[in-house]
């Protein structure tokens, strides 16, 4: 990026090119101004008409038809050939694999049955695996964290969650890595799957649940299938990227030796792409954990189920205790897969204290110890079921509940005042501006804005997405979700600019903040709702604050990388001309990083949308509430399914607009 920006500043623009750029800028400006004026006039003179507001209990014909479709599937599931010979066997197979891992890792919560492998054996096996693929530090971390789950009183729930993650990751790798390799060696496969992967990564995780529950029912099998679909894109993309990143001259040298395509793949491409593929495994594993916890809404057992029940009953203490367990599991999975990625680097073994024959001897000796502990966990009850008298879970739960109560009592004035000030002063007026403007006026305004940013192609995509949302009968709810999403995104970008610029300009600040941002991105989205529920209660404001904290790290990191990538020569030239630090930031660095800022806005917005819809669990309305209600009440299942589709098309609309803004040409200046 720095080279590209240097080239743009070094080569003077042609007068004709500058005139064309100015003409486009003027056209874009006039279109955006026209859209703004049309919106204002439509709101002032047609306020409250044509809003398409649908009461919560009212259904459209489409929603009723989807309800009938749900009933038809339930009635014909046992006799339909597609279900009998394809979907049901697939569900049974996945369920059997998940059941096997749950039986192996999860101890009996009652202590009446000795499990296949008790808690001590599970901790020993997982610690040994962490050491085998990583190092001593991550092995120690694994042992401490999984033992701590027992002290929390959550070992069985954590084991269920881990078993589902393992099942989903194994199935993801079995399908994702071969597909990624095919995409890496075949341009045709790459072109075919790229739009599908883009679509899959645009969809918030929440949206996968309703259609999969419709097809595969609820339970662990559906949760695993949803997780595989959600977690597959990262490993597919990174596997393909690793194959395609191999230097062309290296490949030509291999071809000159007469190697076949299979030999080239086995001896050259896969070994050289190993580190990138392992990075994809890391990303897919973290996505799998995030999805497995959310899949508690379709009866997936484990820590997510504990959090859902706690959120629904506003039990902050239990939610914090289980949320902490999810965070710790995420840290362990991240560190282990990261260590595996580092070990996969060429020449990494030479830098280790233990490698080669010595490492094999240590692994063999420790494996014998692990097998002994596994056998002990199968014969001794204390090693099979974590002793209940050692549990500190009730103390953590009660302490967190007391702390939450104290905060709500003693800081009520501050938290309530802040919440109401933002809600009444900013959120309500902005939401009213979206929901009370006639739908046809606002739709035209959004299409014009799309045309101004990305031309007629983007305007056509925007119009199609809006038409789908309108036809789904959920325009008003979509605008409620859009209001919260846009407000949170603005704050995310303010944080991104402030902290991203500071990190990009100072290596010391970058080193101090980056570990915190990495930790923030490690946490599953589900967990962010817990602390703010204790501060602000169950309101849409809680969902917005959680979305801001969830999305801020990615926006900050992208902005920081964009600022740091600007050529030092350009900055030095500005300093030598007498510019102040503020002038350098506002006149040089931010303008030159404009595309990076647009990319940060794109990613931040998608993260916010994913979190805002999950916020329905703590009182947020809009499309997320419709989805959750569809899970709970079969009478509104069709509306919930339609809401999931509306979220998809709202996400596509926002994604395409922000991508077009990121790809827009930079205006050139002639001095």
């Amino acid at each position: 990026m720095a080279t590209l920006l240097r080239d743009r500043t070094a080569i003077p623009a042609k007068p004709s090119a500058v005139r064309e750029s100015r003409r486009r800028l003027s056209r874009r400006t006039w279109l955006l101004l026209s859209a703004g004026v049309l919106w204002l006039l439509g709101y002032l003179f047609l306020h409250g008409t044509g809003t398409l507001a649908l009461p919560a209990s009212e259904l459209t014909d489409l929603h009723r038809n989807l309800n009938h479709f749900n009933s038809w599937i339930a009635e014909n599931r046992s006799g339909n050939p597609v279900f009998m010979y394809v979907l049901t066997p697939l569900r049974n197979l996945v369920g059997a694999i998940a059941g096997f891992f749950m039986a192996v890792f999860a101890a009996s919560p009652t202590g009446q049955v000795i499990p296949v492998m008790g808690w001590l054996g599970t901790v020993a096996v997982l610690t040994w695996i962490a050491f085998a693929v990583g190092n001593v530090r991550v092995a120690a971390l694994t042992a401490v964290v999984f033992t701590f789950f027992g002290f929390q009183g959550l070992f069985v729930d954590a084991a269920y969650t881990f078993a589902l993650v393992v099942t989903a990751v194994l199935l993801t790798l079995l399908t994702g890595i071969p597909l990624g390799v095919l995409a890496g060696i075949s341009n045709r496969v790459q072109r075919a799957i790229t739009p599908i992967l883009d679509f899959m990564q645009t969809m918030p995780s929440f949206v996968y649940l309703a259609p999969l529950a419709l097809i595969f029912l609820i339970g662990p099998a559906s949760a695993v299938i949803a997780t595989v679909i959600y977690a597959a894109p990262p490993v597919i993309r990174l596997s393909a990227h690793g194959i395609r990143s191999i230097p062309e001259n290296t490949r030509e040298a291999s071809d000159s030796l007469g190697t076949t395509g299979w030999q080239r793949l086995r001896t050259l491409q896969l070994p050289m792409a190993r580190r990138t593929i392992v990075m994809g495994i890391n990303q897919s594993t973290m996505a799998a954990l995030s999805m497995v916890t959310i899949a508690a809404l379709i009866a997936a057992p484990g820590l997510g189920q504990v959090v859902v029940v706690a959120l629904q009953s506003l039990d902050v203490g239990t939610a914090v205790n289980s949320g902490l367990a999810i965070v710790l599991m995420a840290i362990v999975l991240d560190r282990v897969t990261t260590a595996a990625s580092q070990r996969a680097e060429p020449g990494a073994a030479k830098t280790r204290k233990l490698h080669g024959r010595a490492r094999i001897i240590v692994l063999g000796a420790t494996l014998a110890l692990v097998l002994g502990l596994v056998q002990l966990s199968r014969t001794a009850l204390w090693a099979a079921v974590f002793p209940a008298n050692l549990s500190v879970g009730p103390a953590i739960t009660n302490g967190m509940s007391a702390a939450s109560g104290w905060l709500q009592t003693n800081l009520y004035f501050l938290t309530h005042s802040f919440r109401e000030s933002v809600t009444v002063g900013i959120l309500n007026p902005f939401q009213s501006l979206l929901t009370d403007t006639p739908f046809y006026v606002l739709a035209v305004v959004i299409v014009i804005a799309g045309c101004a940013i990305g031309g007629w192609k983007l305007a056509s995509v925007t119009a199609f997405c809006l038409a789908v949302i309108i036809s789904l009968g959920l325009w008003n709810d979509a605008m409620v979700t859009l209001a919260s999403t846009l407000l949170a995104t603005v704050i995310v970008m303010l944080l991104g600019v402030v902290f991203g610029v500071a990190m990009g300009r100072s290596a010391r600040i970058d080193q101090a903040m980056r570990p915190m941002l990495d930790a923030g991105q490690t946490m599953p989205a589900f967990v962010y709702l817990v602390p703010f529920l204790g501060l602000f209660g169950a309101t849409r404001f809680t969902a917005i604050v959680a979305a801001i904290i969830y999305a801020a790290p990615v926006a900050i990191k992208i902005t920081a990388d964009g600022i740091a990538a600007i050529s030092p020569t350009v900055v030095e030239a500005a300093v030598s001309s007498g510019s102040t630090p503020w002038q350098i930031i506002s006149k040089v660095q931010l303008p030159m990083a404009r595309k990076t800022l647009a990319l940060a806005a794109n990613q931040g917005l998608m993260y916010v949308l994913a979190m805002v819809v999950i916020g329905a669990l703590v009182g947020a309305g809009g499309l997320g509430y419709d989805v959750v209600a569809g899970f709970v009440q079969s009478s509104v299942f069709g509306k919930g399914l339609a809401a999931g589709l509306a979220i998809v098309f709202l996400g596509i609309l926002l994604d395409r607009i922000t991508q077009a803004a990121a790809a827009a040409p930079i205006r050139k200046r002639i001095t």
Side-chain angles (χ1 to χ4, degrees), residues 627-640:
V627 174
V628 173
F631 289 134
V632 177
Q633 307 173 45
S634 59
S635 60
V636 293
F637 177 86
K639 187 175 183 179

Side-chain angles (χ1 to χ4, degrees), residues 446-447 450-451 454-469 649-657:
I446 296 174
V447 170
C451 182
W456 288 109
K457 184 177 181 180
L458 178 60
S460 301
V461 174
T462 301
F464 175 76
C465 292
L466 292 173
V468 172
I469 294 173
F649 284 96
L650 182 63
I652 293 173
L653 184 151
L654 295 174
D655 179 61
R656 294 299 181 267
I657 289 178

